[in-house]
Structure formats: structure tokens, C-alpha cells
């Protein structure tokens, strides 16, 4: 089954894509202008596919392509689309309830929005390779910062047949993900997929993870059919190819909506201090007991965090990961602020030059 055919749904089916009374109320001014509501199911090359009550339409995004990469239209947005025209244009989109943002790899310290209006962030982690708890914590920080509820799904559980070994892996992940449900799933045997389907049946979920994590296979299991292409992972390192190349939004047969994303090689933080704090909530709880309110948890007397490490209550790996993510986030925030200041200074210089040119022109005209 192809992606396009999976989007052939009957009219007035926007409720299946998350449309509710609150969205309708926000859309009212656009409805008065004769625009159609629709949910963006895919974006590529300046155009997007939008699910409307009339079905899927192709629309141009030229009117909603600002210089700020965080304000470009993305999968999951609710759009206001022209009712007629060839091509049709997206005129605007509704304010986002949540947004999943990561830092780009460019030197401009910009954020990249991956998905909008997400309720659940499913972090897929393959059990076919050694667990990278630091990477899981990084994904969790971005998920918490987005406003969505994270969920860690350990895929390919059938590759760990020993129940004790599997339970040990789950405990390791639970330690790295306080307050987050950890679910073991096997798309091969069906283990855990019914539980996951029940969780995602209410609201919009985004599927995140590295290549080879089994995201496309998991998406097919939730969809009940082979909608997403799947390729085998390499035996040498357990890594996979990018079988998903765009972010696609699909309605699930049991209710809810799923956004599948390409495998993420880099998961850079972008102004995610609150998310980091949520991931390491136990460290922040310990920090509240430190003697000094500005304790850096390095060598200060009366540091409750270091005391917790010393008595084994807090794993040292957790503290090192916490420090690493905080430092990274502080760097990206500082670079972003510096970029914004530089852009403001450039604007001032341009305006000053224009003012001088206008003044010179006026003086020349009087002469």
C-alpha cells in the first residue's frame, strides 16, 4: 500500500486527524475569509500535502516561508488553505500547542522544527545493539521541552530471549528516564504492540529514533499494514538506512495520529534547559538540598548532589550526562543570542547606511 493511497479518506474526517472544538474556535477568523482548515501530513520542496474535509490537497507554502526556520510550516500543523486555485496556497497556520525542535548542524545555531502539535513523543530504541543511555537522555530532553509526553519503546525485544537480561535492560532505561513509561515491543512477535496502540490512540504521536531503531516496522505494526518501507539493518553494527526520508502524518486504525520521522543522526539540544531538568529530576531534587543555592556540584562543601554520588544513591554516569547536556545547551543558547545580536547590529547598519544615503540625496537635490 502506498502512502498516497493511505491518505484517501472520506470527507469530514478531520476529527480522525485531531480536529476539535478548540481548533475550530481558533480557525473561525480564517473560516470567515473562506479558507479551508486542514492538517499538514507532509512537507517537501516548498509544498505540502494537507488533509482537508475534501481529502488531500497539494498546496504551496510560499506565503508561510519566513526567514526564521522555527516558523516554517511543518508536519502536524493546522493550516488555513485556499478553497480554490491552481496552485492553492497555505495562507497561514494556527498557533502550535507543542513543537519538537532540535538544533541544526549549521554554524548559525538555528533550531529545526521536526513536528508540531504532538501529544506523545515515542523514542524508539533498538535492543539489537548496545544501549546508549546518553542518547536516550538527549532524546528525552528534547521531548520534555517540546511539551509532549515521552515514551521509550525498546524495539526488537525478541532478540533478547532471556527474561532476566531483558528486565535488566529495562531497569537501566528506567533509571535514565524517570517519570517515563518504558515499553518492550517486538514487531516480529507482536509483543507490546497492543499496549502501544492503546497509548497512542488518543492524540498525535511522533516516532523518533536513529536509523535502524525499527521505527518504520513499528509504524507498520501500528497501522496494521505495510505503509512504510522497511530495510534490513547492517549486521556489522546494527545500523539501518534512512527508509523514511520525509516526515509523514498518518491516521491510525485504532484512533490517533502518527508522525513517522527519518532516522536522526544528530540530536542537538536547542534551548532545552527545562527539558534537561525534567530528565534529571532526581539531580535537581538533590540540588535543592545543597548548602549553596548556586552550587555547581563540582567540589563545593555541603553539596547534596556529590553526597548522593558518594553514597551510591545517584549513579556518577547520570551526573556526568547531566553536566554534558547542560554545557551543550548553554553553548547553543549563547551562540543563538550572539547570532540574534549580530543580526540586529546588521539591521542597524543597513538602516544607518540608507539614512545617510537619503540625507546625501536630499542635500544633492538642494544644491
Amino acid at each position: 500500500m502506498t502512502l498516497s493511497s493511505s491518505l484517501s479518506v472520506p470527507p469530514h474526517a478531520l476529527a480522525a486527524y485531531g480536529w476539535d472544538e478548540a481548533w475550530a474556535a481558533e480557525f473561525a477568523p480564517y473560516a470567515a475569509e473562506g479558507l479551508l482548515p486542514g492538517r499538514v501530513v507532509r512537507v517537501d520542496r516548498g509544498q505540502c500535502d494537507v488533509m482537508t474535509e475534501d481529502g488531500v490537497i497539494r498546496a504551496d507554502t510560499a506565503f508561510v516561508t519566513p526567514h526564521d526556520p522555527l516558523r516554517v510550516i511543518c508536519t502536524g500543523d493546522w493550516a488555513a488553505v485556499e478553497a480554490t486555485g491552481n496552485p492553492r496556497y497555505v495562507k497561514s497556520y494556527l498557533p502550535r500547542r507543542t513543537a519538537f525542535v532540535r538544533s541544526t548542524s549549521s554554524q548559525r545555531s538555528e533550531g529545526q522544527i521536526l513536528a508540531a502539535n504532538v501529544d506523545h513523543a515515542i523514542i524508539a530504541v533498538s535492543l539489537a545493539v548496545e544501549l546508549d543511555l546518553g542518547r536516550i537522555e538527549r532524546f528525552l530532553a528534547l521531548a520534555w521541552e517540546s511539551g509532549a509526553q515521552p515514551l521509550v519503546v525498546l524495539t526488537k525485544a525478541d532478540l533478547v530471549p532471556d527474561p532476566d537480561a531483558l528486565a535488566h535492560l529495562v531497569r537501566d532505561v528506567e533509571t535514565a528516564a524517570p517519570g517515563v513509561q518504558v515499553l518492550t515491543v517486538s514487531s516480529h512477535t507482536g509483543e507490546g504492540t497492543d499496549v502501544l496502540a492503546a497509548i497512542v490512540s488518543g492524540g498525535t504521536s511522533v516516532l523518533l529514533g536513529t536509523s535502524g531503531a525499527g521505527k518504520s516496522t513499528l509504524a507498520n505494526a501500528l497501522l496494521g499494514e505495510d505503509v512504510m518501507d522497511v530495510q534490513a539493518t547492517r549486521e556489522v553494527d546494527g545500523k539501518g538506512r534512512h527508509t523514511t526520508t520525509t516526515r509523514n502524518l498518518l491516521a491510525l486504525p485504532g484512533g490517533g495520529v502518527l508522525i513517522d520521522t527519518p532516522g536522526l543522526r544528530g540530536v542537538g539540544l536547542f534551548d532545552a534547559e527545562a527539558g534537561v531538568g525534567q530528565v534529571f529530576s532526581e539531580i535537581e531534587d538533590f540540588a535543592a538540598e545543597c548548602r549553596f543555592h548556586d552550587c555547581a556540584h563540582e567540589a563545593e562543601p555541603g553539596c547534596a548532589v556529590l553526597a548522593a554520588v558518594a553514597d551510591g544513591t545517584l549513579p556518577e554516569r547520570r551526573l556526568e550526562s547531566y553536566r554534558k547536556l547542560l554545557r551543550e545547551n548553554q553553548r547553543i543558547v549563547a551562540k543563538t543570542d550572539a547570532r540574534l545580536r549580530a543580526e540586529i547590529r546588521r539591521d542597524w547598519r543597513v538602516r544607518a547606511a540608507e539614512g545617510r544615503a537619503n540625507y546625501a540625496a536630499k542635500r544633492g537635490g538642494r544644491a
Side-chain angles (χ1 to χ4, degrees):
M1 182 176 180
T2 64
L3 178 61
S4 58
S5 62
S6 73
L7 297 176
S8 299
V9 298
H12 53 265
L14 284 182
Y17 285 81
W19 186 253
D20 57 28
E21 292 183 0
W23 287 124
E26 289 209 51
F27 193 82
Y30 299 105
E33 297 176 15
L35 299 174
L36 293 177
R39 192 148 198 203
V40 178
V41 298
R42 178 176 174 173
V43 179
D44 64 282
R45 300 179 183 179
Q47 294 187 315
C48 62
D49 293 332
V50 183
M51 175 60 69
T52 70
E53 290 187 348
D54 297 328
V56 181
I57 63 173
R58 188 73 166 166
D60 196 293
T61 64
F63 285 101
V64 285
T65 308
H67 294 298
D68 185 350
L70 295 181
R71 297 178 61 192
V72 299
I73 199 163
C74 75
T75 303
D77 274 324
W78 283 101
V81 189
E82 290 179 326
T84 59
N86 188 18
R88 294 194 192 184
Y89 287 92
V90 174
K91 304 297 288 188
S92 186
Y93 61 85
L94 299 183
R96 294 159 177 158
R97 294 178 181 174
T98 62
F100 195 97
V101 179
R102 69 165 176 175
S103 176
T104 65
S105 57
S106 71
Q107 298 301 311
R108 288 179 53 82
S109 307
E110 294 176 334
Q112 177 190 19
I113 183 164
L114 299 179
N117 301 313
V118 173
D119 302 295
H120 308 284
I122 305 171
I123 301 165
V125 180
S126 173
L127 290 176
V129 295
E130 185 177 354
L131 286 176
D132 185 340
L133 297 178
R135 183 180 291 275
I136 294 173
E137 289 162 344
R138 182 180 293 272
F139 269 113
L140 286 169
L142 293 180
W144 281 121
E145 190 69 31
S146 75
Q149 172 66 47
L151 166 68
V152 178
V153 174
L154 302 179
T155 65
K156 308 180 185 181
D158 55 289
L159 299 181
V160 188
D162 183 351
D164 292 335
L166 183 60
H168 178 74
L169 293 172
V170 171
R171 284 196 298 271
D172 283 347
V173 176
E174 287 175 339
T175 300
V180 175
Q181 183 175 358
V182 179
L183 181 66
T184 57
V185 168
S186 169
S187 299
H188 179 67
T189 65
E191 174 193 346
T193 55
D194 55 340
V195 177
L196 181 59
I199 293 172
V200 302
S201 63
T204 298
S205 303
V206 62
L207 194 52
L208 305 159
T210 60
S211 296
K215 297 189 309 301
S216 294
T217 302
L218 192 59
N220 286 338
L222 292 172
L223 290 161
E225 51 192 323
D226 292 340
V227 174
M228 312 307 298
D229 291 332
V230 176
Q231 295 183 14
T233 56
R234 301 189 306 231
E235 292 185 3
V236 64
D237 57 9
K239 294 182 179 179
R241 302 174 184 174
H242 291 286
T243 54
T244 302
T245 56
T246 58
R247 290 177 284 279
N248 305 300
L249 184 148
L250 299 159
L252 298 172
V257 179
L258 180 69
I259 300 176
D260 191 22
T261 66
L264 301 175
R265 290 191 180 93
V267 195
L269 300 184
F270 187 80
D271 197 5
E273 182 176 355
V276 173
Q278 188 77 31
V279 176
F280 299 93
S281 56
E282 82 278 29
I283 296 180
E284 305 227 324
D285 288 341
F286 286 128
E289 303 299 322
C290 290
R291 181 182 303 175
F292 304 107
H293 74 276
D294 58 347
C295 183
H297 321 308
E298 296 288 350
E300 295 87 348
C303 176
V305 174
L306 295 180
V309 173
D311 66 18
T313 306
L314 175 66
E316 187 172 1
R317 186 207 67 80
R318 286 280 287 171
L319 179 56
E320 289 302 317
S321 183
Y322 175 68
R323 289 168 172 163
K324 178 181 179 181
L325 292 184
L326 276 185
R327 286 195 299 267
E328 177 184 329
N329 191 69
Q330 289 165 356
R331 284 197 300 269
I332 195 69
V333 169
K335 289 172 66 177
T336 302
D337 288 346
R339 175 177 60 82
L340 292 174
R341 288 194 297 270
E343 290 179 352
I344 291 171
R345 285 196 295 271
R346 281 196 297 272
D347 287 342
W348 285 346
R349 287 196 293 269
V350 168
R351 292 173 184 173
E354 290 175 347
R356 288 193 297 272
N358 291 336
Y359 179 70
K362 290 178 180 178
R363 287 180 57 87
R366 288 199 301 267

